[in-house]
């Protein structure tokens, strides 16, 4: 059978999936098995056969490739040997058998089934946590768990105006998740707002908006902020923003490194090349800070969770490699989210039908993805031009959806 030597039954480092055989495999089916194994030869898998079992031995596997490849091989062999008796159900059972395995980790895009969850345990952890109190800075919050309905006029709307003002009209405790990327104060060329003011003024305005965001969030709601510190000015914006939320009793849930693989920054400042005198650190990533109001757990209907098992396992590893948005010229905005980033945030941290707010909505990427993923949205931006673009994107999406249904 396969070129790879199968492990001994029960050999350490492998699991085995056994599929009952109605009859021993015929010559064509053996070729199919070999073709599957060959295609995935970089993975740690192999097949073996007994009289009444086909056994699949696995350790590490690119499951997405496997799932796509098996039907492809089957149809190839059906075409080549139309007369041959091929038991398709066996191979379907192989794919669904693997699909149903829940216990695995993800490494370099592959499923790792064995020894992935070895973790050093802290002895007596619950006692230690109880003594030192988790997230002590948020323990004395005064948030109430009431939930208010968001009035109809705010649902699925792009609102043009200064967030500081617009947010005042939104009821407290009515929004499930805020995802945003504020102006970074780099001096970027936005249509209406000045990006490059004195830092005190910048933080004063930003925190006025964030205070409103905290107010409108439901208990258990999340605020997720994407920021890029201004390294040339030595201003760690991500830390300053995090401090603000902690001082306002939100719980820091974690931080995602959004790896943009952006290597086109200069290597060093003049005079410090190859010198410890003042090396300039380069960053190829941005930060995504996650905070919760009142509690870490968010309530929602299980049927409204739309993240797949593989997505979940890949995305809870908090370093996300996603290239920057390529269509910024087309939309005329200098700092857009890539849709992939928004999709991960929304699927990992919100349920379908949740209310998603972006108070610095730009050309509406958060709203567009929220709509695509069957969430409800509110997008606010100070620039009429950006708001118009956001509306156009949403309309285009709606038309496409209707065309897809025809
Ligand atoms: C980093 S961009 C966000 C881009 C957005 N994530 C996207 O994908 O298009 C920040 C946005 O904040 C907007 N802005 C700046 N000050 C504002 C304010 N006070 N109220 C509302 N929007 C504001 C700017 O017009 C800009 O579009």
């Amino acid at each position: 059978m396969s070129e790879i030597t199968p492990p001994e039954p029960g050999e350490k480092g492998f699991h085995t999936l056994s599929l009952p055989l109605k009859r021993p495999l015929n010559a064509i089916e053996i070729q199919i098995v070999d073709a599957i194994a060959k295609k995935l030869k970089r993975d740690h898998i192999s097949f073996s056969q007994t009289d009444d079992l086909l056994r699949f031995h696995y350790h590490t596997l690119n499951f997405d490739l496997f799932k796509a490849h098996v039907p492809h091989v089957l149809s190839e062999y059906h075409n080549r040997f139309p007369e041959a008796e091929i038991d398709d159900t066996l191979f379907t059972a192989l794919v669904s058998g693997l699909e149903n395995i829940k216990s695995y980790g993800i490494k370099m895009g592959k499923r790792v089934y064995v020894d992935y969850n070895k973790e050093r345990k802290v002895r007596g952890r619950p006692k230690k946590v109880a003594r030192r109190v988790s997230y002590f800075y948020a323990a004395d919050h005064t948030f109430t768990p009431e939930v208010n309905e968001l009035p109809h006029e705010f649902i699925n709307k792009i609102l043009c105006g200064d967030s500081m003002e617009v947010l005042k009209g939104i009821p407290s405790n009515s929004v499930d998740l805020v995802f945003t990327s504020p102006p970074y104060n780099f001096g970027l060329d936005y249509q209406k707002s000045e990006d490059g003011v004195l830092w005190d003024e910048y933080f004063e305005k930003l925190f006025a908006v964030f205070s409103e965001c905290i107010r409108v969030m439901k208990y258990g709601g999340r605020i997720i902020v994407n920021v890029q510190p201004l390294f040339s000015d030595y201003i760690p914006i991500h830390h300053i923003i995090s401090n603000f939320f902690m001082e306002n009793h939100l719980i820091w849930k974690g931080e995602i490194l959004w790896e943009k693989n952006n290597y086109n920054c200069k290597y060093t400042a003049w005079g410090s090349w190859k010198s410890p005198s003042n090396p300039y650190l380069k960053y190829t990533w941005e930060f995504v800070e996650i905070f919760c109001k009142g509690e870490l757990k968010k309530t929602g209907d299980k049927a409204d969770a739309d993240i797949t098992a593989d997505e979940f396992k890949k995305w809870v590893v908090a370093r996300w490699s996603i290239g920057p948005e390529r269509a910024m010229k087309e939309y005329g905005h200098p700092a857009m989210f890539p849709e992939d980033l928004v999709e991960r945030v929304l699927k990992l941290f919100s349920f379908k039908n949740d209310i998603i707010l972006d108070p610095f909505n730009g050309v509406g990427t958060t709203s567009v993805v929220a709509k695509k993923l069957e969430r409800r949205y509110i997008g606010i931006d100070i620039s009429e031009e950006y708001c118009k673009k956001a509306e156009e994107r949403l309309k285009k999406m709606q038309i496409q959806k209707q065309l897809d249904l025809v």
Side-chain angles (χ1 to χ4, degrees), residues 148-165:
N148 292 315
E149 277 299 305
L150 187 66
H152 196 67
E153 72 253 31
F154 290 109
I155 299 181
N156 294 339
K157 289 283 156 51
I158 299 296
L159 306 169
C160 191
D162 187 332
S163 274
M164 224 157 37
E165 297 307 319

Side-chain angles (χ1 to χ4, degrees), residues 161-163 181 190 193 333 335-337 359-360 362-363 365 381-382 386:
D162 187 332
S163 274
S181 151
Y190 295 127
S193 56
H333 195 290
M336 286 168 67
F337 280 148
F360 301 108
V363 288
T365 318
D381 201 280
I382 202 160
Y386 294 156

Side-chain angles (χ1 to χ4, degrees), residues 390-402:
E391 295 277 19
E392 281 166 17
R393 284 175 84 184
L394 287 157
K395 205 177 280 166
K396 205 164 148 194
M397 216 183 99
Q398 183 67 26
I399 294 170
Q400 190 56 49
K401 209 171 163 189
Q402 278 159 354

Side-chain angles (χ1 to χ4, degrees), residues 15 22 45 75 82 105 119 170 244 260 272 293-294 321 346 354 364-365 375 385 389:
H15 288 316
K22 296 171 197 150
I45 57 156
S75 81
E119 197 189 326
I170 297 180
F244 166 80
K260 297 166 82 176
S272 59
K293 179 175 169 179
S321 191
L346 296 193
D354 273 359
T365 318
R375 274 81 173 156
E385 202 162 316
K389 287 260 166 64

Side-chain angles (χ1 to χ4, degrees), residues 19 71 136 166 201 214 220 226 235 273-274 348 350 378:
L19 301 163
F136 64 93
V166 179
E201 190 188 332
I214 296 174
N226 158 233
I235 307 284
W273 167 249
K274 272 178 69 184
L348 190 57
S350 75
I378 320 172

Side-chain angles (χ1 to χ4, degrees), residues 20-26 29 49 51-52 85-87 90:
L21 289 173
K22 296 171 197 150
R23 51 166 174 73
L25 297 183
N26 61 36
E29 289 167 333
Q49 193 191 168
D51 284 347
D52 53 358
E85 189 190 348
I86 299 171
D87 182 3
L90 184 66

